[in-house]
Amino acid sequence: GENVEQHPSTLSVQEGDSAVIKCTYSDSASNYFPWYKQELGKRPQLIIDIRSNVGEKKDQRIAVTLNKTAKHFSLHITETQPEDSAVYFCAASSYGQNFVFGPGTRLSVLP
Amino acid sequence: DAGVIQSPRHEVTEMGQEVTLRCKPISGHDYLFWYRQTMMRGLELLIYFNNNVPIDDSGMPEDRFSAKMPNASFSTLKIQPSEPRDSAVYFCASSLRGEETQYFGPGTRLLVL
């Protein structure tokens, strides 16, 4: 089955700096890679996703890149703000099924 | 749309009792997922349904756990008998065929004493 690894497990950055979180997956059949943000005590919420036919996708300060050959994808947050502090999860699935989440990255943006 | 609805939001019970968690997916969504989240194990997929039919229950921990989806707008996750190690936040999520975005409910925080 699919296995998703995520690094780092914790990340602290200064406000205004960039943050990068990396994930690797094992199943070459996976074709959908979402990123979820979970604030303390809240539900996970989708922030961006990418499909296997695209190498990069950007939405304002957030971007995701995908390297299918190497089976890894990354989340990039630029100009970080305190409200970006949360736990971020990557996930991989094959056609919307067999969802496997990474273990999460706790991001702290320091003022 | 009100989004995915879960009840109860909090449940405290004693070991050995039966626990039933409920979920109402977003109207029109045909996939429904049950997850368990703990500090130690992270976010685990327990089971998912497509058009009310269980597709993959390989994540269900053991026979004490069961899930049903009697119709397109309702699902239950039952634990019988409950044990302290079942304490966790249980999320329900739904998605629309042809799109993979999962929308999570607010979760049920379960504490088994």
Side-chain angles (χ1 to χ4, degrees), chain B residues 15-40:
Chain B
M15 181 175 64
Q17 297 297 307
E18 177 178 295
V19 175
T20 299
L21 311 181
R22 298 172 176 80
C23 175
K24 176 179 168 56
I26 292 173
S27 177
H29 282 192
D30 58 352
Y31 281 84
L32 184 139
F33 304 79
W34 281 102
Y35 291 91
R36 177 173 68 177
Q37 187 175 37
T38 61
M39 288 295 293
M40 291 299 295

PDB file of all heavy atoms in Angstrom, chain B residues 15-40:
ATOM      1  N   MET B  15     -15.225   2.659  30.060  1.00  0.00           N
ATOM      2  CA  MET B  15     -14.752   1.454  29.379  1.00  0.00           C
ATOM      3  C   MET B  15     -15.843   0.386  29.381  1.00  0.00           C
ATOM      4  O   MET B  15     -16.503   0.155  30.405  1.00  0.00           O
ATOM      5  CB  MET B  15     -13.511   0.939  30.093  1.00  0.00           C
ATOM      6  CG  MET B  15     -12.896  -0.289  29.473  1.00  0.00           C
ATOM      7  SD  MET B  15     -11.349  -0.744  30.289  1.00  0.00           S
ATOM      8  CE  MET B  15     -11.924  -1.136  31.918  1.00  0.00           C
ATOM      9  N   GLY B  16     -16.029  -0.244  28.235  1.00  0.00           N
ATOM     10  CA  GLY B  16     -17.013  -1.302  28.108  1.00  0.00           C
ATOM     11  C   GLY B  16     -18.336  -0.831  27.531  1.00  0.00           C
ATOM     12  O   GLY B  16     -19.142  -1.663  27.085  1.00  0.00           O
ATOM     13  N   GLN B  17     -18.564   0.467  27.522  1.00  0.00           N
ATOM     14  CA  GLN B  17     -19.811   0.996  26.984  1.00  0.00           C
ATOM     15  C   GLN B  17     -19.753   1.061  25.462  1.00  0.00           C
ATOM     16  O   GLN B  17     -18.682   1.137  24.843  1.00  0.00           O
ATOM     17  CB  GLN B  17     -20.098   2.386  27.544  1.00  0.00           C
ATOM     18  CG  GLN B  17     -20.314   2.411  29.045  1.00  0.00           C
ATOM     19  CD  GLN B  17     -21.537   1.610  29.448  1.00  0.00           C
ATOM     20  OE1 GLN B  17     -22.643   1.825  28.926  1.00  0.00           O
ATOM     21  NE2 GLN B  17     -21.349   0.658  30.352  1.00  0.00           N
ATOM     22  N   GLU B  18     -20.934   1.077  24.870  1.00  0.00           N
ATOM     23  CA  GLU B  18     -21.046   1.236  23.419  1.00  0.00           C
ATOM     24  C   GLU B  18     -21.059   2.714  23.072  1.00  0.00           C
ATOM     25  O   GLU B  18     -21.703   3.515  23.754  1.00  0.00           O
ATOM     26  CB  GLU B  18     -22.333   0.573  22.918  1.00  0.00           C
ATOM     27  CG  GLU B  18     -22.563   0.750  21.417  1.00  0.00           C
ATOM     28  CD  GLU B  18     -23.825   0.050  20.952  1.00  0.00           C
ATOM     29  OE1 GLU B  18     -23.880  -1.177  21.029  1.00  0.00           O
ATOM     30  OE2 GLU B  18     -24.757   0.763  20.513  1.00  0.00           O
ATOM     31  N   VAL B  19     -20.330   3.045  22.015  1.00  0.00           N
ATOM     32  CA  VAL B  19     -20.262   4.429  21.554  1.00  0.00           C
ATOM     33  C   VAL B  19     -20.699   4.475  20.093  1.00  0.00           C
ATOM     34  O   VAL B  19     -20.252   3.645  19.287  1.00  0.00           O
ATOM     35  CB  VAL B  19     -18.822   4.979  21.667  1.00  0.00           C
ATOM     36  CG1 VAL B  19     -18.740   6.374  21.067  1.00  0.00           C
ATOM     37  CG2 VAL B  19     -18.368   4.995  23.122  1.00  0.00           C
ATOM     38  N   THR B  20     -21.565   5.417  19.765  1.00  0.00           N
ATOM     39  CA  THR B  20     -22.000   5.598  18.382  1.00  0.00           C
ATOM     40  C   THR B  20     -21.740   7.028  17.943  1.00  0.00           C
ATOM     41  O   THR B  20     -22.242   7.972  18.558  1.00  0.00           O
ATOM     42  CB  THR B  20     -23.490   5.265  18.222  1.00  0.00           C
ATOM     43  OG1 THR B  20     -23.715   3.894  18.581  1.00  0.00           O
ATOM     44  CG2 THR B  20     -23.911   5.471  16.766  1.00  0.00           C
ATOM     45  N   LEU B  21     -20.962   7.161  16.884  1.00  0.00           N
ATOM     46  CA  LEU B  21     -20.657   8.467  16.311  1.00  0.00           C
ATOM     47  C   LEU B  21     -21.435   8.602  15.008  1.00  0.00           C
ATOM     48  O   LEU B  21     -21.566   7.634  14.258  1.00  0.00           O
ATOM     49  CB  LEU B  21     -19.153   8.598  16.045  1.00  0.00           C
ATOM     50  CG  LEU B  21     -18.231   8.205  17.205  1.00  0.00           C
ATOM     51  CD1 LEU B  21     -16.774   8.413  16.821  1.00  0.00           C
ATOM     52  CD2 LEU B  21     -18.567   8.963  18.464  1.00  0.00           C
ATOM     53  N   ARG B  22     -21.899   9.809  14.750  1.00  0.00           N
ATOM     54  CA  ARG B  22     -22.775  10.022  13.602  1.00  0.00           C
ATOM     55  C   ARG B  22     -22.219  11.073  12.651  1.00  0.00           C
ATOM     56  O   ARG B  22     -21.529  12.013  13.079  1.00  0.00           O
ATOM     57  CB  ARG B  22     -24.175  10.437  14.077  1.00  0.00           C
ATOM     58  CG  ARG B  22     -24.861   9.382  14.914  1.00  0.00           C
ATOM     59  CD  ARG B  22     -26.149   9.868  15.522  1.00  0.00           C
ATOM     60  NE  ARG B  22     -26.839   8.791  16.239  1.00  0.00           N
ATOM     61  CZ  ARG B  22     -26.520   8.379  17.469  1.00  0.00           C
ATOM     62  NH1 ARG B  22     -25.532   8.947  18.128  1.00  0.00           N
ATOM     63  NH2 ARG B  22     -27.197   7.389  18.033  1.00  0.00           N
ATOM     64  N   CYS B  23     -22.555  10.902  11.374  1.00  0.00           N
ATOM     65  CA  CYS B  23     -22.036  11.821  10.364  1.00  0.00           C
ATOM     66  C   CYS B  23     -23.071  12.027   9.268  1.00  0.00           C
ATOM     67  O   CYS B  23     -23.704  11.071   8.791  1.00  0.00           O
ATOM     68  CB  CYS B  23     -20.752  11.266   9.755  1.00  0.00           C
ATOM     69  SG  CYS B  23     -20.084  12.260   8.380  1.00  0.00           S
ATOM     70  N   LYS B  24     -23.222  13.290   8.879  1.00  0.00           N
ATOM     71  CA  LYS B  24     -24.052  13.630   7.724  1.00  0.00           C
ATOM     72  C   LYS B  24     -23.147  14.299   6.702  1.00  0.00           C
ATOM     73  O   LYS B  24     -22.609  15.382   6.954  1.00  0.00           O
ATOM     74  CB  LYS B  24     -25.173  14.577   8.136  1.00  0.00           C
ATOM     75  CG  LYS B  24     -26.035  15.067   6.988  1.00  0.00           C
ATOM     76  CD  LYS B  24     -27.138  15.993   7.499  1.00  0.00           C
ATOM     77  CE  LYS B  24     -27.843  16.727   6.368  1.00  0.00           C
ATOM     78  NZ  LYS B  24     -28.394  15.807   5.349  1.00  0.00           N
ATOM     79  N   PRO B  25     -22.929  13.656   5.553  1.00  0.00           N
ATOM     80  CA  PRO B  25     -22.029  14.249   4.556  1.00  0.00           C
ATOM     81  C   PRO B  25     -22.677  15.424   3.844  1.00  0.00           C
ATOM     82  O   PRO B  25     -23.871  15.679   3.990  1.00  0.00           O
ATOM     83  CB  PRO B  25     -21.789  13.094   3.586  1.00  0.00           C
ATOM     84  CG  PRO B  25     -23.048  12.277   3.668  1.00  0.00           C
ATOM     85  CD  PRO B  25     -23.499  12.394   5.095  1.00  0.00           C
ATOM     86  N   ILE B  26     -21.883  16.125   3.069  1.00  0.00           N
ATOM     87  CA  ILE B  26     -22.397  17.214   2.245  1.00  0.00           C
ATOM     88  C   ILE B  26     -23.328  16.615   1.191  1.00  0.00           C
ATOM     89  O   ILE B  26     -23.007  15.593   0.573  1.00  0.00           O
ATOM     90  CB  ILE B  26     -21.239  17.989   1.590  1.00  0.00           C
ATOM     91  CG1 ILE B  26     -20.444  18.732   2.666  1.00  0.00           C
ATOM     92  CG2 ILE B  26     -21.751  18.954   0.525  1.00  0.00           C
ATOM     93  CD1 ILE B  26     -19.178  19.402   2.167  1.00  0.00           C
ATOM     94  N   SER B  27     -24.472  17.234   1.012  1.00  0.00           N
ATOM     95  CA  SER B  27     -25.457  16.738   0.071  1.00  0.00           C
ATOM     96  C   SER B  27     -24.860  16.619  -1.330  1.00  0.00           C
ATOM     97  O   SER B  27     -24.230  17.556  -1.843  1.00  0.00           O
ATOM     98  CB  SER B  27     -26.656  17.695   0.038  1.00  0.00           C
ATOM     99  OG  SER B  27     -27.605  17.274  -0.910  1.00  0.00           O
ATOM    100  N   GLY B  28     -25.063  15.433  -1.935  1.00  0.00           N
ATOM    101  CA  GLY B  28     -24.545  15.218  -3.281  1.00  0.00           C
ATOM    102  C   GLY B  28     -23.184  14.537  -3.322  1.00  0.00           C
ATOM    103  O   GLY B  28     -22.792  14.021  -4.369  1.00  0.00           O
ATOM    104  N   HIS B  29     -22.476  14.543  -2.209  1.00  0.00           N
ATOM    105  CA  HIS B  29     -21.196  13.851  -2.166  1.00  0.00           C
ATOM    106  C   HIS B  29     -21.436  12.347  -2.085  1.00  0.00           C
ATOM    107  O   HIS B  29     -22.304  11.883  -1.349  1.00  0.00           O
ATOM    108  CB  HIS B  29     -20.375  14.313  -0.962  1.00  0.00           C
ATOM    109  CG  HIS B  29     -19.726  15.642  -1.171  1.00  0.00           C
ATOM    110  ND1 HIS B  29     -18.751  16.134  -0.321  1.00  0.00           N
ATOM    111  CD2 HIS B  29     -19.894  16.577  -2.138  1.00  0.00           C
ATOM    112  CE1 HIS B  29     -18.345  17.310  -0.761  1.00  0.00           C
ATOM    113  NE2 HIS B  29     -19.032  17.613  -1.857  1.00  0.00           N
ATOM    114  N   ASP B  30     -20.627  11.582  -2.830  1.00  0.00           N
ATOM    115  CA  ASP B  30     -20.858  10.150  -2.842  1.00  0.00           C
ATOM    116  C   ASP B  30     -19.738   9.336  -2.215  1.00  0.00           C
ATOM    117  O   ASP B  30     -19.767   8.118  -2.230  1.00  0.00           O
ATOM    118  CB  ASP B  30     -21.148   9.665  -4.264  1.00  0.00           C
ATOM    119  CG  ASP B  30     -20.026   9.992  -5.233  1.00  0.00           C
ATOM    120  OD1 ASP B  30     -19.099  10.728  -4.840  1.00  0.00           O
ATOM    121  OD2 ASP B  30     -20.082   9.521  -6.375  1.00  0.00           O
ATOM    122  N   TYR B  31     -18.720  10.039  -1.676  1.00  0.00           N
ATOM    123  CA  TYR B  31     -17.690   9.348  -0.918  1.00  0.00           C
ATOM    124  C   TYR B  31     -17.745   9.839   0.521  1.00  0.00           C
ATOM    125  O   TYR B  31     -17.870  11.044   0.777  1.00  0.00           O
ATOM    126  CB  TYR B  31     -16.287   9.638  -1.477  1.00  0.00           C
ATOM    127  CG  TYR B  31     -15.931   8.846  -2.709  1.00  0.00           C
ATOM    128  CD1 TYR B  31     -16.312   9.265  -3.977  1.00  0.00           C
ATOM    129  CD2 TYR B  31     -15.192   7.673  -2.599  1.00  0.00           C
ATOM    130  CE1 TYR B  31     -15.985   8.533  -5.106  1.00  0.00           C
ATOM    131  CE2 TYR B  31     -14.847   6.931  -3.723  1.00  0.00           C
ATOM    132  CZ  TYR B  31     -15.247   7.380  -4.975  1.00  0.00           C
ATOM    133  OH  TYR B  31     -14.913   6.649  -6.088  1.00  0.00           O
ATOM    134  N   LEU B  32     -17.621   8.900   1.450  1.00  0.00           N
ATOM    135  CA  LEU B  32     -17.596   9.264   2.860  1.00  0.00           C
ATOM    136  C   LEU B  32     -16.460   8.508   3.540  1.00  0.00           C
ATOM    137  O   LEU B  32     -16.286   7.306   3.330  1.00  0.00           O
ATOM    138  CB  LEU B  32     -18.930   8.937   3.535  1.00  0.00           C
ATOM    139  CG  LEU B  32     -19.039   9.362   5.006  1.00  0.00           C
ATOM    140  CD1 LEU B  32     -20.424   9.942   5.298  1.00  0.00           C
ATOM    141  CD2 LEU B  32     -18.699   8.245   5.960  1.00  0.00           C
ATOM    142  N   PHE B  33     -15.703   9.243   4.342  1.00  0.00           N
ATOM    143  CA  PHE B  33     -14.514   8.696   4.986  1.00  0.00           C
ATOM    144  C   PHE B  33     -14.622   8.878   6.503  1.00  0.00           C
ATOM    145  O   PHE B  33     -15.104   9.897   6.982  1.00  0.00           O
ATOM    146  CB  PHE B  33     -13.252   9.433   4.520  1.00  0.00           C
ATOM    147  CG  PHE B  33     -13.037   9.456   3.032  1.00  0.00           C
ATOM    148  CD1 PHE B  33     -13.729  10.341   2.219  1.00  0.00           C
ATOM    149  CD2 PHE B  33     -12.129   8.597   2.441  1.00  0.00           C
ATOM    150  CE1 PHE B  33     -13.530  10.370   0.842  1.00  0.00           C
ATOM    151  CE2 PHE B  33     -11.916   8.615   1.070  1.00  0.00           C
ATOM    152  CZ  PHE B  33     -12.612   9.507   0.270  1.00  0.00           C
ATOM    153  N   TRP B  34     -14.146   7.893   7.242  1.00  0.00           N
ATOM    154  CA  TRP B  34     -13.999   8.008   8.696  1.00  0.00           C
ATOM    155  C   TRP B  34     -12.511   7.957   9.040  1.00  0.00           C
ATOM    156  O   TRP B  34     -11.809   7.028   8.608  1.00  0.00           O
ATOM    157  CB  TRP B  34     -14.722   6.878   9.423  1.00  0.00           C
ATOM    158  CG  TRP B  34     -16.201   7.046   9.555  1.00  0.00           C
ATOM    159  CD1 TRP B  34     -17.170   6.438   8.814  1.00  0.00           C
ATOM    160  CD2 TRP B  34     -16.886   7.860  10.508  1.00  0.00           C
ATOM    161  NE1 TRP B  34     -18.409   6.838   9.239  1.00  0.00           N
ATOM    162  CE2 TRP B  34     -18.265   7.706  10.287  1.00  0.00           C
ATOM    163  CE3 TRP B  34     -16.479   8.709  11.543  1.00  0.00           C
ATOM    164  CZ2 TRP B  34     -19.241   8.349  11.041  1.00  0.00           C
ATOM    165  CZ3 TRP B  34     -17.435   9.346  12.299  1.00  0.00           C
ATOM    166  CH2 TRP B  34     -18.794   9.173  12.047  1.00  0.00           C
ATOM    167  N   TYR B  35     -12.063   8.941   9.827  1.00  0.00           N
ATOM    168  CA  TYR B  35     -10.675   9.019  10.267  1.00  0.00           C
ATOM    169  C   TYR B  35     -10.619   9.047  11.787  1.00  0.00           C
ATOM    170  O   TYR B  35     -11.542   9.492  12.462  1.00  0.00           O
ATOM    171  CB  TYR B  35      -9.999  10.297   9.756  1.00  0.00           C
ATOM    172  CG  TYR B  35      -9.756  10.363   8.277  1.00  0.00           C
ATOM    173  CD1 TYR B  35     -10.699  10.921   7.424  1.00  0.00           C
ATOM    174  CD2 TYR B  35      -8.572   9.895   7.733  1.00  0.00           C
ATOM    175  CE1 TYR B  35     -10.469  11.006   6.061  1.00  0.00           C
ATOM    176  CE2 TYR B  35      -8.328   9.975   6.365  1.00  0.00           C
ATOM    177  CZ  TYR B  35      -9.277  10.531   5.538  1.00  0.00           C
ATOM    178  OH  TYR B  35      -9.038  10.617   4.190  1.00  0.00           O
ATOM    179  N   ARG B  36      -9.474   8.618  12.319  1.00  0.00           N
ATOM    180  CA  ARG B  36      -9.192   8.752  13.740  1.00  0.00           C
ATOM    181  C   ARG B  36      -7.881   9.518  13.864  1.00  0.00           C
ATOM    182  O   ARG B  36      -6.916   9.226  13.153  1.00  0.00           O
ATOM    183  CB  ARG B  36      -9.062   7.369  14.387  1.00  0.00           C
ATOM    184  CG  ARG B  36      -8.699   7.407  15.855  1.00  0.00           C
ATOM    185  CD  ARG B  36      -8.752   6.023  16.469  1.00  0.00           C
ATOM    186  NE  ARG B  36      -7.715   5.133  15.961  1.00  0.00           N
ATOM    187  CZ  ARG B  36      -7.531   3.891  16.405  1.00  0.00           C
ATOM    188  NH1 ARG B  36      -8.318   3.411  17.354  1.00  0.00           N
ATOM    189  NH2 ARG B  36      -6.574   3.146  15.904  1.00  0.00           N
ATOM    190  N   GLN B  37      -7.844  10.490  14.775  1.00  0.00           N
ATOM    191  CA  GLN B  37      -6.636  11.272  14.968  1.00  0.00           C
ATOM    192  C   GLN B  37      -6.180  11.215  16.416  1.00  0.00           C
ATOM    193  O   GLN B  37      -6.949  11.517  17.337  1.00  0.00           O
ATOM    194  CB  GLN B  37      -6.842  12.735  14.556  1.00  0.00           C
ATOM    195  CG  GLN B  37      -5.557  13.556  14.587  1.00  0.00           C
ATOM    196  CD  GLN B  37      -5.745  14.961  14.053  1.00  0.00           C
ATOM    197  OE1 GLN B  37      -6.769  15.595  14.260  1.00  0.00           O
ATOM    198  NE2 GLN B  37      -4.743  15.453  13.323  1.00  0.00           N
ATOM    199  N   THR B  38      -4.933  10.810  16.605  1.00  0.00           N
ATOM    200  CA  THR B  38      -4.303  10.815  17.919  1.00  0.00           C
ATOM    201  C   THR B  38      -2.917  11.428  17.796  1.00  0.00           C
ATOM    202  O   THR B  38      -2.364  11.508  16.682  1.00  0.00           O
ATOM    203  CB  THR B  38      -4.159   9.399  18.497  1.00  0.00           C
ATOM    204  OG1 THR B  38      -3.318   8.629  17.605  1.00  0.00           O
ATOM    205  CG2 THR B  38      -5.496   8.698  18.631  1.00  0.00           C
ATOM    206  N   MET B  39      -2.369  11.833  18.908  1.00  0.00           N
ATOM    207  CA  MET B  39      -1.015  12.397  18.886  1.00  0.00           C
ATOM    208  C   MET B  39      -0.009  11.344  18.432  1.00  0.00           C
ATOM    209  O   MET B  39       0.918  11.633  17.679  1.00  0.00           O
ATOM    210  CB  MET B  39      -0.648  12.929  20.264  1.00  0.00           C
ATOM    211  CG  MET B  39      -1.372  14.198  20.654  1.00  0.00           C
ATOM    212  SD  MET B  39      -0.922  15.578  19.598  1.00  0.00           S
ATOM    213  CE  MET B  39       0.792  15.795  20.057  1.00  0.00           C
ATOM    214  N   MET B  40      -0.218  10.122  18.897  1.00  0.00           N
ATOM    215  CA  MET B  40       0.773   9.073  18.628  1.00  0.00           C
ATOM    216  C   MET B  40       0.709   8.567  17.187  1.00  0.00           C
ATOM    217  O   MET B  40       1.741   8.305  16.570  1.00  0.00           O
ATOM    218  CB  MET B  40       0.552   7.903  19.588  1.00  0.00           C
ATOM    219  CG  MET B  40       0.891   8.231  21.031  1.00  0.00           C
ATOM    220  SD  MET B  40       2.627   8.675  21.239  1.00  0.00           S
ATOM    221  CE  MET B  40       3.421   7.140  20.801  1.00  0.00           C
TER     222      MET B  40
END
